[in-house]
Amino acid sequence: MFFDADFSRYKKNIILILLTYFSIFAYSHVFFMLPPFLLQRGFQPQSIGWVMSAFYLAATMTRPTAGWFLSQFGIRKTMLFAGSVCFVGACLFACIPLTPHALWGLRFFMGAGFSVFVVATTTYQTLVIPAAIRGPAFSITSIGGVLTSFSIIPLAEFFIKGGHSTYYLFMASLASLVSMCVASFLPPVEKNIVSEGNHHVSYLSLFKETPIKYLLISCLFLGLTDSSIAYASSLAIGRGLNSSIFLMAISSGAVIVRLFGGGLYKKVSRIVIAAPAIGLMGGALMGASFAGSNSAIALWGFLYGVAVGYGYPTHLALIGDMIPEYFRGHASSMVYFAMDISWTLLPIYIGYASALTNVSWAFRGFSLFACVASVLVYLFVWKRIRKNK
């Protein structure tokens, strides 16, 4: 895959985007271990749910702002500004006393910076990667987001179990600093998306002139299904299993698909892949909630990773497939906005459902919902798009 002419031409861009995704998602994924970390310090499940939700609430609220930043200042300045917000928030998070109100406020601040940075990164790759290699190229760049399960998350768990809380809390600061450094090396975008040439671009015109609403419906259910992974460590630990094994299995499935499964995009349309990926994610979560051994939860984690390996690159590539270039900054903002609504709501559901029953049953209820939703998304969204083509 890396050795054909198209990939050789864009190899530098692909590698740098991969590294950018790795560093910024390392910043976010460090906090996948926050629930057990806070439980050790006497926090209640409901409080933890709100603290976890604050990050994604901020990300949701600031996604539309990201499109405005991009149209006003361009990609590089937006990324450096957002990275600075991430860095300051992470440093404060590591230094202040751990109280629910303070944690909620800082998580909100950090989520805003993360949100804008990721939108800028996605917009950048939709502009610099051509349509001919968009599917497999996006699969490779998105590996950066799952490599954290092999490195960042196990290291975070090691620090927490070893009592090295200071090291754990400063991991996010280092990750945000690296993300800014990598972003500064990204080659400039040839296409100008700054507002001086595109005064007509707005969210209203985006919805009027493009089929963005169909993509957003699918992204909403993708985000709902994927956001449950923030509590994957609690699911595994609650069943007496190793959370790192589960998360590493997820990453293994995703990485294998993204490295060797790109050929599927040449045989099957991306709009056909989108909904089944959501259904497989839901089914794998259901299986994991019944797992009684590390090998069983690893198997279900691997299947979940396969689904994620196709789900996210497919939906992100569809931005470039369905949306004109001058709308892509705004479109990327709305795609992440749809997914982040899910990341805001689901931790609250898991927190309260876990308190009423347990984490396993909370996951089972949602997994059934995800499987049904994937069928409805295919029938009423993507099948309709195919007929209209």
Side-chain angles (χ1 to χ4, degrees), residues 246-317:
F246 184 39
L247 293 170
M248 290 178 69
I250 292 172
S251 295
S252 297
V255 169
I256 289 172
V257 161
R258 290 170 182 179
L259 283 176
F260 305 108
L264 181 64
Y265 290 109
K266 297 180 180 179
K267 301 176 182 178
V268 182
S269 170
R270 283 189 275 274
I271 63 176
V272 176
I273 298 172
I278 299 171
L280 182 56
M281 289 165 69
L285 286 175
M286 178 70 78
S289 72
F290 287 101
S293 66
N294 285 326
S295 58
I297 205 168
L299 173 62
W300 290 113
F302 182 84
L303 291 175
Y304 182 92
V306 169
V308 170
Y310 280 118
Y312 265 99
T314 296
H315 284 78
L316 295 179

